Amino acid sequence: MRNLDTNAVSTRAPRRDVLAELGVRTVINAAGTYTKFGGMLMRPEVVDAIAAVSGRCARLEDVHAAVGARIAHLLECEAALVTSGAAAALMLGTAACITGDDPERIRRLPDLTGMKHEVVMQRAHRFLYDHAVRACGVRLVEVDTRDELERAITDQTALLLFLNKAAPSGRIPAAEFIAVGKRRGVPTMNDAAADVPPVDTLFAYTRMGFDLVAVSGGKGLGGPQSAGLLLGRRDLVTAARLNTAPHSDTVGRGLKVSKEEVIGMLVAVETYLRRDHDAEWRAWEAAVSGLRSALEPLPRIQTEQFVPAISNHVPHLRVRWRSAADGSIAEIAEELRAGDPPIEVVPVPQEEDALEIASWTLQPGEAEIVARRLREILIRRGADVPR
């Protein structure tokens, strides 16, 4: 056998840039943790964990059981399940409330003949992702007040659904919503998908009394983009596991989570709990401050730092200008997108002359690029002309 020279210089080939090979342009994500832009980049510890487990096989059920128990311990709740995103957590949580651990009911979804088939939620809490709930075959019943909620609950009610970021818009506070569910014996589920940070979100809603809580893994936690968490009651989380892969004849069979993603999600939670959240906040504020410093001298521009009240609760920058003179939001956003490198920002839907920049998806050095490019575009469109 040939002796190996342990002192030899490594000749390992450089890492392939497959996106470049395919002609796919990477972007500066100044928009936020949107799935369409890849969410939050995975933490290095998560990437390392995924690589380490990828070369070995294990029973997926064993991995789910061990990781679920560890995450539940870390987050101080009864049980946890790694899902294929927060939308999958909504679907599996709904299925669990309908079927329990009954194998026959699990096989029949979304045929709900003879099963509870209604989910009650506040009208102000309807949202795009409640399609994941409806995919189980249920009918959504909308209410506005606590009295309407009480009257809407029948022997056909499987679940009460709450959208956390819409809490200020609804007329039934979370505590009342939970209280009604407890008194009437109906499970409650809270969609808190994009509500980390703050770190307290991971503990607050199960402690408050929600039976199930859905959290995205690929946003603030920095886990795999295609992963999420379902937290809460042991019996319901167990039933949710029975409604998905590797169990074949289930409504959630297509919501497969690989062993790599399950382990990656565990490491993401562990890492997130250890992170210096105050230092991260200061870094995000510094990014916003740098952007403001570059744009504020333009006389036709106004800037404002803000923090969304619940979802995506991190420092953002809102930039306003007189669109009639300086161009529409869509034009400026498209010019940023078409540049090199492409930059994604978020036009403000309710304001015709504003866009928003998220701080927490910007990588080191990118805030300066965004500031320079946006400043150049605005000056070219007359933003430096006195009012």
Side-chain angles (χ1 to χ4, degrees):
M1 181 180 293
R2 183 171 58 88
N3 292 328
L4 297 177
D5 182 359
T6 56
N7 295 316
V9 176
S10 173
T11 58
R12 183 178 180 181
R15 181 179 296 177
R16 287 179 65 189
D17 187 343
V18 182
L19 290 177
E21 291 177 18
L22 296 171
V24 176
R25 302 176 76 194
T26 57
V27 306
I28 291 178
N29 181 6
T33 58
Y34 293 93
T35 297
K36 62 184 177 180
F37 303 133
M40 184 71 76
L41 296 183
M42 286 190 290
R43 301 284 296 187
E45 300 92 336
V46 175
V47 176
D48 290 345
I50 289 173
V53 76
S54 65
R56 291 175 289 173
C57 290
R59 295 182 182 90
L60 190 55
E61 279 289 85
D62 293 345
V63 178
H64 266 302
V67 168
R70 176 74 64 84
I71 292 177
H73 173 74
L74 291 170
L75 302 186
E76 300 174 6
C77 58
E78 283 189 21
L81 173 66
V82 176
T83 62
S84 58
L90 292 176
M91 184 175 177
L92 296 178
T94 303
C97 293
I98 296 167
T99 68
D101 60 2
D102 186 323
E104 178 58 29
R105 292 188 171 198
I106 290 171
R107 282 193 295 270
R108 284 172 45 204
L109 284 187
D111 175 4
L112 300 183
T113 304
M115 293 184 258
K116 295 180 179 180
H117 59 272
E118 293 181 348
V119 171
V120 182
M121 65 186 304
Q122 296 182 69
R123 195 180 317 276
H125 286 213
R126 287 299 305 272
F127 62 120
L128 294 174
Y129 300 104
D130 63 33
H131 197 127
V133 174
R134 291 185 281 119
C136 291
V138 300
R139 181 175 73 91
L140 295 182
V141 179
E142 300 177 359
V143 300
D144 289 314
T145 66
R146 176 166 179 165
D147 181 61
E148 290 179 2
L149 174 62
E150 294 274 11
R151 287 188 281 109
I153 296 173
T154 69
D155 58 1
Q156 297 303 313
T157 305
L159 172 68
L160 306 183
L161 179 62
F162 192 90
L163 177 59
N164 204 58
K165 71 176 183 179
S169 304
R171 296 169 62 181
I172 311 170
E176 287 187 25
F177 200 78
I178 293 168
V180 172
K182 297 292 187 192
R183 188 169 54 79
R184 300 292 295 273
V186 180
T188 54
M189 180 161 61
N190 188 353
D191 179 1
D195 301 352
V196 177
V199 66
D200 290 349
T201 297
L202 294 171
F203 304 87
Y205 302 117
T206 51
R207 288 174 178 169
M208 186 182 291
F210 278 103
D211 297 291
L212 293 169
V213 178
V215 180
S216 175
K219 299 186 187 299
L221 287 174
Q225 169 63 18
S226 52
L229 295 173
L230 181 65
L231 311 173
R233 265 175 44 187
R234 182 173 288 105
D235 62 323
L236 293 177
V237 173
T238 299
R241 278 180 59 190
L242 295 174
N243 273 280
T244 190
H247 305 285
S248 297
D249 194 3
T250 63
V251 72
R253 179 60 179 81
L255 307 178
K256 182 191 299 183
V257 189
S258 70
K259 68 182 188 303
E260 290 83 5
E261 292 167 312
V262 177
I263 295 298
M265 197 65 252
L266 168 61
V267 174
V269 172
E270 292 174 336
T271 304
Y272 185 75
L273 295 177
R274 293 195 301 263
R275 277 152 62 177
D276 187 338
H277 302 288
D278 291 337
E280 287 186 325
W281 192 274
R282 291 192 296 271
W284 296 331
E285 286 190 318
V288 171
S289 178
L291 287 159
R292 295 187 75 178
S293 297
L295 299 175
E296 278 187 333
L298 302 178
R300 302 176 71 86
I301 299 300
Q302 294 179 334
T303 64
E304 171 194 4
Q305 177 177 318
F306 72 100
V307 178
I310 300 178
S311 197
N312 301 304
H313 183 78
V314 298
H316 287 65
L317 179 67
R318 185 174 289 119
V319 183
R320 292 188 177 91
W321 66 92
R322 294 177 62 182
S323 60
D326 304 331
S328 71
I329 298 171
E331 290 172 347
I332 294 173
E334 182 55 37
E335 194 167 345
L336 287 169
R337 183 177 296 116
D340 185 19
I343 298 172
E344 296 289 350
V345 296
V346 178
V348 183
Q350 64 273 23
E351 297 187 40
E352 65 177 13
D353 61 350
L355 60 79
E356 293 175 355
I357 298 172
S359 61
W360 61 332
T361 48
L362 292 172
Q363 302 307 301
E366 290 184 343
E368 292 81 1
I369 298 173
V370 174
R372 174 177 54 80
R373 288 271 303 284
L374 185 54
R375 180 183 170 87
E376 289 172 353
I377 292 170
L378 292 171
I379 289 176
R380 189 165 62 251
R381 291 172 175 270
D384 59 338
V385 177
R387 291 175 182 270

